[in-house]
Structure formats: C-alpha cells, structure tokens
Amino acid sequence: MNRQERAAAIAKYGCIDNAIAAHAIPQFVDISVSEAIVLGLLKQGVTKFCAIFGHGTTDIAEVLRVYEEAGLVRTFNVRHETAGAHAITVLKMVTGETAAMITSIGPGAMHAFAGSLAAASNGAGVWHIYGDETTQDEGFNMQQIPGNEQGLFLKMMSHMGRAYSVYEPWSVVSALRAGAITTSAQFAQPFFMLAPMNVQPVILRNFNLAELPERVDIPLLECADTNIFLDAVEAVKAARKITIKIGQGARGCGREIIELANLIDAAIVSGPNASGIVPYSEKRYMTVGGSKGSISGNFAMNEADLVIIIGARAVCQWDCSGTAWKKAKTIINFNINPVHAFHYNKTIAITGDAKSNLRAFIESLTETCAGKKEGAWTKAIMKKRAEWTAFKNERYSCTGLVDAAWKRKVLTQPVAIKTVCDFADAAGAIKLFDAGDVQANGFQIVEDKVEGQTFTDTGASYMGLASSGVLIGAMSDVYPVAFCGDGSFMMNPQILIDGVQHGAKGMIVIFDNRRMAAITGLQYAQYSKEYKTNDTVAVDYVAMANSVKGVKGIFGGYTVKELKKALAEAHAFKGLSLVHVPVYNGPDELGGMGVFGDWNVGNWCERVQVEHHKIGL
Ligand SMILES: Cc1ncc(C[n+]2csc(CCOP(=O)(O)OP(=O)(O)O)c2C)c(N)n1
C-alpha cells in the first residue's frame, strides 16, 4: 500500500484507528519519519500548517501534499515565517485549535522562532517544526549555525519551550508525545520539533501505527488543602478594601468572580488581556489596571489591603513593575503554577484550576459567614469608575486635532479606536490589537460584554501579530478585525498576499500617526525629547492594499462619520479589506488615554525600584 492509498483510506474512514479497525490500512506499515510526523499530528487533531518550505523540509512537504490531496490536512503557505508563527498563535488564542508552523533550517527557522515568543508569552501551545542539519555532520550544512557544536538549534529552542530533535528516526514517537503534552497544558508552551534533513526520509520498517501518541487532555487539579481556604477566609475577615485582579487564566470564571466580589464587597480589576471575563457593565468592575491601566483600576490596586489574584502572572505592565500593591497586607493568589502563585510575599497560594478553587473558596466564605456588606470601599471605587468614565467621554467627544505630520485636523487615536471597536462588536467580529499605543489605548477603551471579543499579545507585545493573525479569517470561521499602528502593520504586511491566497475574510485598520508613537511618548515622558521614532515618508496604504489583487483598500477619512462609512464598506467586502485612518500624534492630552501607573524602564528605574523595595512584596 502506498502513501496515496493510505491517505485515501484514512480519509474514507475518518481517522487512523477506524481505518485500521476496518482493515483498510494495516496496523504495521513501512513509512518515512516525515509521514509518521504528519500522521502523528493528524491523530492529535493537528491538521492545519502554516509553512515556508525550504531545502530543509521538502520531504515533509511531499507528505503534506499527498495528505492535503486526500482532504486530511491544509497547508497555508505564507510569505514570512514570523507571520506564520503569529497566525498559529492567534488561532490558538482565539479558537483553541492547535496548528503547526513548518520552516526550513536556518533563517526561516530563526524567523519562526522569533515569532514563537508571542506563543510562549501567551501560553499558546503550538507546534514549530523546523528542518535541521543532518546527523552525519558531513561538513557544514548550508544555513546551520556555524559553530562546531552539536544541536545548537535544539539548545536555542529549548529556552523558549520544550524542544526535541528527532535525531534518531524511531524517537519520532517520543517527540510526538512530548509535543502533545506540551501544547495541551493549561498555560502551554510552543513545542519545537527539529527534524534533521537526513532523518525525515528514513523508512521506519514495520512501524506500529497504533503506537502514535494520542491527543492529550490534561485533567484539571483542585487544591486539596482545606486549611488554605480557611486561611484565605481569615484574610477576608480582616480586610477592609479588597481588590480582585484577574488575568487570562481567569477565563471561564466570570460568574464565580462576580459572585465572590459581591460576597466580600470587592473591586474587580482586569489585566490587559482579560477583558470580557467580567462584563464591562458590571458595577464592581474597575476596568484595566497597570502601567497603562485606568484611573479606577489603578486606584483599586493601590488602595487594596487584601489582593485576590486569579490566573495572572506579575508581568511588569500589569502590576506596575511591583509597585501596584502599595497597601496590601495579604495576597491570595489563584494560579495553576506555583511559580506565579508564590510570586509575592505575604501570600496564601491556592494552586490548581481557578474555577474549582474559586467555588471551594466561595463555599468556605459562605459556610463561615465571612461575607461583607456593601460599604465605604464600594462607594470609593464607584466614584473612581465614574471619574474614569468621564475621562473617557471627554476624549471621545474630541472631533479631531490638527496634526503636525498630516498638516490638518485628523481623528485622535482614542476616537478612531472606539469607533472601530463599536463597529467590530456590533458586527460580531473578533478584535485583534497589535502593539504600541494602539494596543494600550485599545485595552483602555474596549468595553467587552463577554470574554473572547478581544485578543492582544500583552506578554510580548509583538508588532505585527495582529495583521498576521488576520489569517485566522481563512483558517477558521472567525471574522477578525486587526487594529494596527502603521509601524506594526509594516512589520508584517505579507498578510495582504497571504490573506488573498487563502481566502481570508477579515479587516485590517491602520491607525496611521506616521510614527511609532508609543515609543515617542515614552521618550518625551522620560527625556523630554524624541529620537528616531518617526520618519518623513508618507505611505498610501490604500494604494498599497489595492495593489494586491483581491484586497480592498479604503480610506478611513477624517471624521467619525467618514470612518463608519469606510468600515461598513470594508466589512461588506467578501474578503480581506484594509482601512487607512490618519490619526493625531502630539502633546494634546486628548490625543491619548493617559498613563496611570509606574513602569521600571528608562530614567524611571531608580524611583520605581525604590518604591518596589519600600513596599517589599
Ligand atoms: C517586533 C517589535 N519590535 C519593537 C517593539 C517595541 N515597540 C513597542 S510599541 C512600538 C511602536 C509601535 O508603533 P505603531 O505600531 O506605529 O503604533 P503606535 O504606537 O504609533 O500607535 C515599538 C517599536 C515591539 N513591541 N515589537
């Protein structure tokens, strides 16, 4: 039986096991390592591949060709490996589906590897499969790292996630199992499979297809130490101002979080990537906290004497580089990972699945009658939330500002972003925010009702992630709207071609302030001068978009009315559209959403570090 027949039989019977059971394929077969990789992934439900093939992966490509012809897998050939890495990361973050990025060896692998930072930072379990130098070391392989050492790529990749070199052909099974486990963990890592070029075509004689590792569903763990919950109850009893801070790991726990907050009279603050877990309309929700947080979010963090953290790591922008919890006497930290759960001193760590542990905590609080009546704390936080709302509304009422680069009145970024957010929400689209001011203003602006409406890479803030992520408009049935600065878009404009090639439906909105404004802003705030964060080259992004057959480029205009019209037109287009909106950059404070927390960067470091050590958490 050849590969084509095998693929056809598996397609006919739906999966490998069924095909074996029906005697359509034998259980013991002679297959190449490359085919074992593809079959192993297929068995785990990994059927989508982003790829740029090179001399390092022609053998795997040939297998994919046959399996794609049988309708079992789909390869999305892209124009940049980092863009492909971003696309599979965004697919995982948005839909939960695990996909793989395939590259050649050397530069292609390095590009994809760079992109894997976003997967690692966001806990997105994805596969990276790279060709690697031959195992026989017959001389330098073109594109290998020119060092006289074995396994240099393996060493490098091992720092980002789990990495496995299929140095020995039969170890492919072990590699597939390691990948299944790594990519399935709750806050997962990227898994790197390195496939030496001379190993890929090796035939595994009499290979047992039943030995291919199965898909992994790691069971959720609940904290079994009941005393911990009683300690946490005592902390609640002693507290007067409680703030619950939620991160991505709190997804799915919205009901419990609101119940808990009402029970103990607490404020709720989200991390930048946790919008919608608690609806924006919830009265106890103080919106986002952190270096680029909100007035109310940062107030609730700074004032709390008891902090309850749920599913969040202490990323610098999230807890103001360790200075957010200025008055905390105790921290109750729910996390699956003890490293994060025990990040602070004075901690009661509750490790395991947040939802089950929250339920157990709520039960302990109810049984011990440790609930609190609504009091002064709620009044104080609600006053701050009203302040934040007024602050936002003042910005939204700005009809535009005269900009030095555009030499005319243009929309501000807050108004333009708000307009696009409202449009995307009404259209049921997914909002993807790229890096920079667009990202920071974005998470200050979003008003999500439910989780899953907004995604952004707050772990790595990788410019180009959102534009590249629009490929999910071809890889799934999601309609994405990418919010990109001009700087971020130009990191990965390849999506214009890749999106058309693969039939992506989605929209890119470029908020063009003619510079990398997030950094200009930092430079002014720190040194009162800007340096090399802009250029003088005007780009007609509409013309650029329209130069790619199949993309619809539309000018977003200078007013909200014009922008809304452009958005409607872009959305009506059955494919990939791009809207170009000129936006203001400059000193007028209505041009941004403000900064309310510390950050240990630039010439602030000394002050922030002193504050951090004074707090001593
Ligand atoms: C790949 C990458 N390079 C550099 C940075 C550092 N950085 C963060 S934001 C930013 C500027 C973003 O500019 P733009 O996308 O135009 O958005 P704006 O801030 O102007 O809204 C830079 C350079 C980054 N996050 N990612």
Side-chain angles (χ1 to χ4, degrees), residues 228-238 332 348 361 364-365 368 370:
I228 295 286
F229 291 101
L230 296 178
D231 291 349
V233 167
E234 289 310 311
V236 168
K237 282 185 185 164
I332 302 173
I348 299 168
F361 185 35
S364 304
L365 286 161
T368 53

Side-chain angles (χ1 to χ4, degrees), residues 155-168:
K155 286 176 191 161
M156 188 164 42
M157 269 96 228
S158 300
H159 291 285
M160 190 71 81
R162 188 160 177 203
Y164 201 114
S165 169
V166 188
Y167 198 80
E168 194 283 324

Side-chain angles (χ1 to χ4, degrees), residues 64 104 114 138 140 147 162 179 297 309 464 522 567 592 603:
L64 285 170
S104 189
E138 62 276 13
F140 274 132
R162 188 160 177 203
I309 298 172
L522 267 183
L567 293 169
N603 61 1

Side-chain angles (χ1 to χ4, degrees), residues 413 436-438 461-463 485-488 513 515-519:
Q413 211 181 78
D437 274 353
V438 171
S461 242
Y462 208 128
M463 292 169 75
D486 48 307
S488 294
N513 48 21
R515 61 172 59 240
M516 303 208 183
I519 311 305

Side-chain angles (χ1 to χ4, degrees), residues 445-457:
I445 288 169
V446 293
E447 298 186 4
D448 293 348
K449 288 193 179 73
V450 290
E451 66 187 54
Q453 287 183 272
T454 302
F455 294 88
T456 184
D457 165 20

Side-chain angles (χ1 to χ4, degrees), residues 72-126:
L72 287 166
V73 299
R74 184 160 171 206
T75 296
F76 300 82
N77 51 317
V78 293
R79 296 285 182 128
H80 196 291
E81 291 87 352
T82 305
H86 288 337
I88 61 166
T89 298
V90 172
L91 183 73
K92 183 74 182 232
M93 286 167 73
V94 174
T95 69
E97 180 173 354
T98 305
M101 177 69 210
I102 304 196
T103 74
S104 189
I105 84 169
M110 295 287 269
H111 277 169
F113 179 60
S116 74
L117 180 68
S121 306
N122 290 280
V126 291

Side-chain angles (χ1 to χ4, degrees), residues 220-266:
L220 300 173
L221 301 179
E222 201 175 315
C223 178
D225 188 342
T226 44
N227 287 333
I228 295 286
F229 291 101
L230 296 178
D231 291 349
V233 167
E234 289 310 311
V236 168
K237 282 185 185 164
R240 300 166 63 86
K241 297 173 180 176
I242 306 177
T243 292
I244 301 172
K245 179 85 193 259
I246 59 175
Q248 281 194 70
R251 286 183 199 264
C253 303
R255 240 188 59 205
E256 285 73 18
I257 291 163
I258 294 170
E259 192 179 334
L260 176 65
N262 284 328
L263 185 62
I264 61 175
D265 193 27

Side-chain angles (χ1 to χ4, degrees), residues 1-13 19 24-26 29-32 35 38-39 42 59-73 209:
M1 171 173 257
N2 65 27
R3 186 177 288 160
Q4 275 78 4
E5 290 161 344
R6 216 168 10 251
I10 295 169
K12 183 172 170 199
Y13 288 93
I25 54 170
V29 291
D30 293 347
I31 56 169
S32 67
E35 190 169 349
V38 173
L39 283 174
L42 185 61
D59 198 69
I60 299 179
E62 170 55 18
V63 176
L64 285 170
R65 181 188 70 76
V66 172
Y67 279 83
E68 179 149 4
E69 266 175 27
L72 287 166
V73 299
L209 286 175

